[in-house]
Amino acid sequence: SAGSMLALNDRYRPEMVVFLPSQAAAQLSVAKPINVAGTALYNYTEGYGTYLIPAVLIVIMFQTLLMVIGMVSGEERQFKLLQVYRPTFGQAGRLVIGKTFVYMMLYAVFSLFLLGLIPLIFDLPDIGNVWNIIMLLIPFLMATSFFGLTASVVFTDSDAPLLMIAFFSVGLIFLSGVSYPLELMPWYWQAAHYVFPVAPAVLAFVKLNSMGGSLVDIWPQMLTLWIQVIIYGAWAVYTTRRVYKRSNIKTGDIEA
C-alpha cells in the first residue's frame, strides 16, 4: 500500500502543483517522500532459511518415509517374500497396523532430530508449543504410513521409489500453500492439496512452529489429516490383502 501511494504521488504531484497557490506549490515541490521501513511478519530476517526450511523439513519426513515403505514393499515383491498365505481382512489390518507402528516409532526419533535439533543448530524459527507439534505429528505420520502402504502396490522393486518420490519435492511445497496462496490456485490444485498428507501438515507446522499458533488455528488441517488416516487406513488394508493374494496366485499356492 505504501509503495502504491508513493508511485501515484510521484506520477501526479507535478500536475497537482499547477492548481496550488505559489507558496504551497514551492513547499510541495521540495518535500521529500516518506521513507517506509517494513518488517516481514514471522520472517524478520527475510531470509530463505526462516521462510522455507521449516516447510522443507516436513516434506523431507514425508518423502523419506514414503521411500522407506516403497523400498521395503518393492523388495518384498521383487524377491517374492509375500508368498506365505492369503490374509483375511482382519489379518491384513493387523499387518498394516504393525508396520505403521514400527514406522512411527522410527520416525518419532527422526522427527526429534529433524524438528527438534536442526532448528536449534541453524537458528530456524522454533516458537511453537512442543505438545501441539506432537499432536500434529501423530495423524501426519499415521496418514503418511497408510498412504505409503497404499501406494506401495505400484512398486515392483526397491529402486523405483527413490526415483519417483524425489521427483515431486517442489510440487509438494507449492501444494502446501506456504510458498503460494492456496486460495489463488485453480480448483484442481486445491483438490490435490487434500490428497497428500504432507500438504496440510506443512501448512499446520508453519502455523505452529513459525507463527506461534495453537491447535485451534490448525483445526482444518488436523481434520484433513484424521480424515486421511481413516480413508488411507482402510485403503491400505484392502491393498495389502490384494498384494498378498496376487503374489500367492502367481505362484500357484492358492486357487484363484
Side-chain angles (χ1 to χ4, degrees):
S1 300
S4 301
M5 179 189 69
L6 294 176
L8 291 173
N9 181 65
D10 292 337
R11 180 182 302 176
Y12 294 107
R13 186 171 60 174
E15 300 176 3
M16 295 172 57
V17 172
V18 179
F19 302 98
L20 295 176
S22 58
Q23 185 178 1
Q27 294 177 355
L28 185 60
S29 62
V30 298
K32 296 181 179 180
I34 300 174
N35 295 324
V36 179
T39 301
L41 294 176
Y42 314 113
N43 184 15
Y44 61 94
T45 64
E46 298 186 13
Y48 176 81
T50 54
Y51 156 62
L52 199 58
I53 295 301
V56 172
L57 296 179
I58 299 296
V59 174
I60 290 174
M61 292 183 61
F62 176 77
Q63 289 191 303
T64 53
L65 182 51
L66 285 189
M67 288 179 183
V68 169
I69 296 174
M71 291 173 67
V72 172
S73 301
E75 185 177 7
E76 290 176 346
R77 301 180 66 185
Q78 182 179 4
F79 295 102
K80 298 179 173 55
L81 303 178
L82 302 178
Q83 297 138 12
V84 181
Y85 64 100
R86 178 183 178 181
T88 63
F89 281 105
Q91 292 170 335
R94 288 194 290 270
L95 284 172
V96 170
I97 293 174
K99 290 182 177 181
T100 300
F101 178 79
V102 173
Y103 294 139
M104 289 187 65
M105 291 300 100
L106 293 175
Y107 268 74
V109 179
F110 183 48
S111 61
L112 179 63
F113 165 76
L114 196 65
L115 304 182
L117 294 181
I118 293 298
L120 295 178
I121 295 174
F122 294 99
D123 196 25
L124 299 176
D126 188 24
I127 61 175
N129 183 279
V130 175
W131 295 110
N132 290 343
I133 295 176
I134 292 175
M135 294 298 294
L136 169 65
L137 290 178
I138 291 174
F140 167 60
L141 293 178
M142 290 179 64
T144 301
S145 298
F146 291 151
F147 179 81
L149 292 172
T150 300
S152 63
V153 69
V154 302
F155 299 126
T156 57
D157 58 72
S158 58
D159 298 327
L162 296 176
L163 302 176
M164 295 181 62
I165 297 174
F167 177 76
F168 298 99
S169 302
V170 177
L172 293 175
I173 294 177
F174 274 96
L175 281 181
S176 66
V178 172
S179 58
Y180 189 81
L182 184 64
E183 294 78 9
L184 299 182
M185 297 182 186
W187 66 268
Y188 44 87
W189 290 124
Q190 294 186 31
H193 170 86
Y194 298 99
V195 173
F196 302 96
V198 66
V202 165
L203 190 57
F205 180 73
V206 170
K207 288 182 179 181
L208 290 179
N209 199 59
S210 300
M211 304 172 69
S214 63
L215 291 179
V216 177
D217 299 311
I218 64 168
W219 74 264
Q221 290 77 37
M222 290 288 287
L223 179 61
T224 301
L225 288 173
W226 281 113
I227 292 175
Q228 290 175 342
V229 167
I230 296 173
I231 294 176
Y232 289 134
W235 201 349
V237 172
Y238 172 77
T239 301
T240 300
R241 185 173 184 270
R242 183 177 180 181
V243 168
Y244 272 83
K245 175 182 176 181
R246 183 183 302 171
S247 299
N248 283 277
I249 289 176
K250 287 182 178 180
T251 58
D253 294 337
I254 62 175
E255 295 181 0

